[in-house]
């Protein structure tokens, strides 16, 4: 009888231990699962918050851009639709000082490299002063400039050249004044004069500029 009772107690203790082990294992599993699930949910919530903040920032930037666009359109129309351009000429005329302000600004700083067009402009300036063109020289870098990429912050690019002219002193002086008053920027580097007042030669080394067009790019951003 004592042996039976002892055996029964050991069986009950064994079952109790098994139950405790099982309960502990289940509790540990539930705890670990809860921790992993909580971490996953927290990470997902943090990611969603970052996405929402990025979208809010993009919307704010878009609203600012639209406002800036409207302001730019208004300023552009006011600048172009003037009865007299910035040179005092007729916006609808075809004279040397005529043309609307937008055209004058584009002529002043072209967005495309074009050395032959520059040479033609120089020729017109020189012949307008009744000067003889001895030579217009420079290095045509069209191939090199074609590889230049547009950017959001383009910078002026120098276009060096040299002109040699012959004529009277007054005509040469007027030509230099034209370079100084031109809407297109000319930076004179050296000037060499020879001859007398009625028959003078001038060699002028200078450079002008062009500025690549500003690019507008819409980019996508990966939220991490």
């Amino acid at each position: 009888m004592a042996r039976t009772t002892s055996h029964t107690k050991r069986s009950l203790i064994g079952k109790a231990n098994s139950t405790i082990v099982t309960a502990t294992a289940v509790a540990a599993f539930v705890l670990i699962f809860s921790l992993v699930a909580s971490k996953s949910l927290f990470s997902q919530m943090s990611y969603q918050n970052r996405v929402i903040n990025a979208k809010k920032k993009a919307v704010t930037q878009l609203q600012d851009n639209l406002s800036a666009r409207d302001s730019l359109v208004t300023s552009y129309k006011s600048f172009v639709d003037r009865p007299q351009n910035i040179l005092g000429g007729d916006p609808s005329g075809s004279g040397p000082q005529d043309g609307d302000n937008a055209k004058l600004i584009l002529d002043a700083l072209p967005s495309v490299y074009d050395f032959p067009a520059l040479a033609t402009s120089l020729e017109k300036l020189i012949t307008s002063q009744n000067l003889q063109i001895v030579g217009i020289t420079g290095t045509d870098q069209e191939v090199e400039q074609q590889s230049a990429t547009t950017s959001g912050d383009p910078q002026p690019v120098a276009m060096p050249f040299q002109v040699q002219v012959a004529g009277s002193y007054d005509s040469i002086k007027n030509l230099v004044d034209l370079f100084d008053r031109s809407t297109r920027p000319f930076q004179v580097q050296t000037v060499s004069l020879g001859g007398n007042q009625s028959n003078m030669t001038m060699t002028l080394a200078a450079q002008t500029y062009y500025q690549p067009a500003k690019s507008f790019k819409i980019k996508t951003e990966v939220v991490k």
Side-chain angles (χ1 to χ4, degrees):
M1 185 66 179
R3 291 182 179 178
T4 303
T5 303
S6 177
H7 177 73
T8 302
K9 289 182 178 180
R10 284 198 297 269
S11 298
L12 292 174
I13 292 172
K15 289 181 180 180
N17 289 338
S18 298
T19 302
I20 293 172
V21 170
T22 302
T24 303
V26 170
F29 173 79
V30 172
L31 177 62
I32 294 172
F33 176 81
S34 300
L35 291 175
V36 172
S38 298
K39 181 180 180 182
S40 177
L41 290 174
F42 179 77
S43 298
Q44 186 67 19
M45 183 179 66
S46 298
Y47 173 75
Q48 292 298 334
N49 286 335
R50 291 196 294 272
V51 171
I52 292 172
N53 290 334
K55 287 183 177 180
K56 288 181 178 179
K57 183 178 179 181
V59 170
T60 301
Q61 184 63 58
L62 179 60
Q63 291 173 341
D64 291 342
N65 290 344
L66 291 174
S67 177
R69 179 207 61 184
D70 295 339
S71 177
L72 179 61
V73 169
T74 301
S75 298
Y76 176 82
K77 289 181 178 180
S78 175
F79 180 66
V80 173
D81 298 336
R82 291 184 178 181
Q84 191 177 62
N85 64 29
I86 55 178
L87 297 180
D90 184 359
S92 59
S94 58
Q97 291 186 320
D98 293 338
D100 61 55
N101 287 332
K103 180 180 181 300
L104 294 178
I105 294 300
L106 185 60
D107 290 341
L109 201 60
S111 60
V112 178
Y113 181 89
D114 192 344
F115 190 83
L118 171 61
T120 300
S121 298
L122 293 173
E123 183 178 348
K124 289 181 179 180
L125 284 176
I126 294 170
T127 55
S128 69
Q129 300 305 311
N130 297 318
L131 288 167
Q132 177 187 353
I133 300 175
V134 179
I136 299 176
T137 58
T139 303
D140 191 345
Q141 299 177 332
E142 183 175 359
V143 175
E144 293 85 345
Q145 294 302 324
Q146 282 180 344
S147 62
T149 57
T150 59
S151 68
D153 186 24
Q155 299 298 319
V157 179
M159 300 174 64
F161 65 89
Q162 187 179 73
V163 296
Q164 293 176 292
V165 299
S168 67
Y169 168 81
D170 289 337
S171 295
I172 289 177
K173 179 179 179 296
N174 291 337
L175 177 62
V176 175
D177 289 339
L178 276 180
F179 280 123
D180 184 51
R181 292 185 286 107
S182 173
T183 57
R184 184 165 189 173
F186 288 102
Q187 185 178 42
V188 177
Q189 297 170 318
T190 61
V191 176
S192 296
L193 298 172
N196 53 51
Q197 189 167 357
S198 59
N199 186 16
M200 182 172 288
T201 60
M202 178 183 72
T203 299
L204 180 146
Q207 62 183 14
T208 186
Y209 301 87
Y210 92 99
Q211 181 169 302
K214 185 173 183 177
S215 63
F216 177 73
K217 297 180 180 179
I218 298 178
K219 64 179 182 178
T220 58
E221 181 179 343
V222 178
V223 178
K224 297 181 179 180

